[in-house]
Amino acid sequence: MPSLDVVVKEIADEMRRRTERGEVASYIPELARVDPAAFGIAVIDATGNIAVAGDSETPFSIQSISKVFTLTLALGKVGDRLWRRVGREPSGSSFNSIVQLERECGIPRNPFINAGAIAVTDLILSGHQPREALGEILRFMQFLADDPTITIDKAVAASEQRTGFRNAALANYMKSYGVIENPVEFTLGVYFHHCAIAMTCRQLAMAGRFLVHAGLNPSTGARVVSSERARRINAIMLTCGHYDGSGEFAYRVGLPGKSGVGGGILAIAPERASIAVWSPGLDAAGNSHLGRAALEALTKRMGWSIFGA
Ligand code: GLU
């Protein structure tokens, strides 16, 4: 078995030399300011060893990766009742598609497309003020990453709040079907802010560990979710974590993963490793171009694909 440290450093060097890096997201104006040359990776193996390379200590906007954690919180709050409001099938359409929502009577296909994540945020918000719901989400991230310094990038949240017309359309459409309970502006406010949480690759890999260890936080031994729930969250990450690029990600990388338009990807090798990569350039489906390339190289060299070495 090759040394994880060596493999991670080799991959970071290879990625630095690549010229084709994809396009940085610009529909959220604040994200367009990020350096397209950035690349970071952090891998925490099952024994707790951490291998890092590149810009692994630079905070970036986790965007849709936050949806893994809001799904976890919402399942803790309402259990399987969540599936009355959101499906769990791959969408095969873009992350912010409206067409599918109309055809399916306001019920989003899965919790990771924008409509589904907005519905999940609404569940967390019910019975709380937006500030309380957001505080709960942020504290959950800090607890999982074992790092109280994690914060929300207010400039990114404000930028999306000013320009998130399509998400507002999705939320209003669901509201018309009763899928959203709270005032749309409250639900969207919480959604935009949790997408704007800023984390480093190291912090994100730390936060993903409970999905590697069948629901346990390995540093404290505390149970975050049941092993059955961890397994199911991983299943949804595999089938829905990369929007209409989920099949390609499974084919090339072979791990449950969740991407964000900030260019991050959290990938889970069950019982083996929690991996966070970040490179801001995106492919046509809105997933990190080099992030996926790096994960493909990593799983191949380490023999970590869930489908076999
Ligand atoms: N906040 C982003 C949006 O709603 C998240 C999308 C993503 O990261 O894929 O458009």
Side-chain angles (χ1 to χ4, degrees):
M1 173 73 67
S3 143
L4 180 61
D5 256 315
V6 172
V7 170
V8 163
K9 297 241 157 25
E10 277 172 8
I11 290 173
D13 283 345
E14 283 166 31
M15 295 304 134
R16 205 167 295 125
R17 286 196 298 273
R18 295 258 185 127
T19 47
E20 171 54 49
R21 308 185 85 83
E23 294 289 321
V24 174
S26 56
Y27 77 99
I28 301 174
E30 197 65 21
L31 291 184
R33 295 154 50 105
V34 176
D35 177 8
F39 176 86
I41 179 166
V43 185
I44 306 178
D45 72 12
T47 59
N49 290 325
I50 307 188
V52 295
D55 303 305
S56 60
E57 308 297 337
T58 307
F60 63 91
S61 193
I62 67 168
Q63 290 295 320
S64 283
I65 304 171
S66 61
K67 297 172 182 175
V68 173
F69 303 97
T70 49
L71 173 65
T72 306
L73 271 180
L75 282 169
K77 197 169 164 183
V78 301
D80 281 342
R81 277 192 293 129
L82 180 137
W83 304 118
R84 292 189 201 153
R85 277 212 231 163
V86 185
R88 45 174 191 262
E89 290 294 343
S91 68
S93 46
S94 68
F95 69 102
N96 55 7
S97 169
I98 293 179
V99 175
Q100 196 164 49
L101 199 56
E102 176 163 22
R103 233 186 287 117
E104 299 180 2
C105 302
I107 301 289
R109 263 297 167 95
N110 68 62
F112 291 159
I113 53 172
N114 283 11
I118 293 168
V120 167
T121 301
D122 187 68
L123 277 170
I124 296 174
L125 175 58
S126 287
H128 300 281
Q129 294 301 316
R131 193 173 288 276
E132 294 166 352
L134 196 56
E136 188 183 354
I137 297 167
L138 186 61
R139 279 192 301 278
F140 187 52
M141 299 305 304
Q142 294 170 336
F143 158 73
L144 291 175
D146 198 10
D147 191 335
T149 67
I150 295 167
T151 52
I152 293 170
D153 185 330
K154 299 256 171 55
V156 171
S159 183
E160 190 169 5
Q161 206 137 21
R162 273 196 305 276
T163 56
F165 305 115
R166 192 178 268 253
N167 284 326
L170 292 169
N172 278 293
Y173 198 76
M174 289 188 287
K175 180 85 177 167
S176 76
Y177 278 98
V179 174
I180 298 289
E181 282 175 355
N182 298 282
V184 163
E185 60 276 23
F186 285 10
T187 303
L188 283 176
V190 176
Y191 171 78
F192 292 145
H193 280 80
H194 75 63
C195 286
I197 292 173
M199 291 171 79
T200 67
C201 286
R202 181 193 291 265
Q203 289 168 334
L204 195 55
M206 286 287 282
R209 291 170 308 160
F210 76 102
L211 293 171
V212 176
H213 297 274
L216 291 178
N217 178 336
S219 29
T220 58
R223 183 159 287 290
V224 181
V225 294
S226 66
S227 57
E228 179 177 273
R229 186 158 288 163
R231 200 167 63 235
R232 289 179 161 170
I233 293 169
N234 281 336
I236 299 167
M237 286 172 77
L238 181 78
T239 52
C240 309
H242 282 72
Y243 309 117
D244 43 341
S246 298
E248 190 67 10
F249 188 81
Y251 180 81
R252 291 190 179 278
V253 177
L255 294 180
K258 181 74 203 87
S259 69
V261 290
I265 302 176
L266 171 66
I268 303 297
E271 294 168 31
R272 288 177 158 150
S274 175
I275 307 150
V277 286
W278 171 54
S279 176
L282 309 179
D283 62 20
N287 302 310
S288 173
H289 180 74
L290 287 189
R292 191 187 71 192
L295 286 166
E296 184 176 355
L298 181 71
T299 47
K300 193 167 169 190
R301 284 178 218 179
M302 298 305 291
W304 279 352
S305 164
I306 61 170
F307 301 110

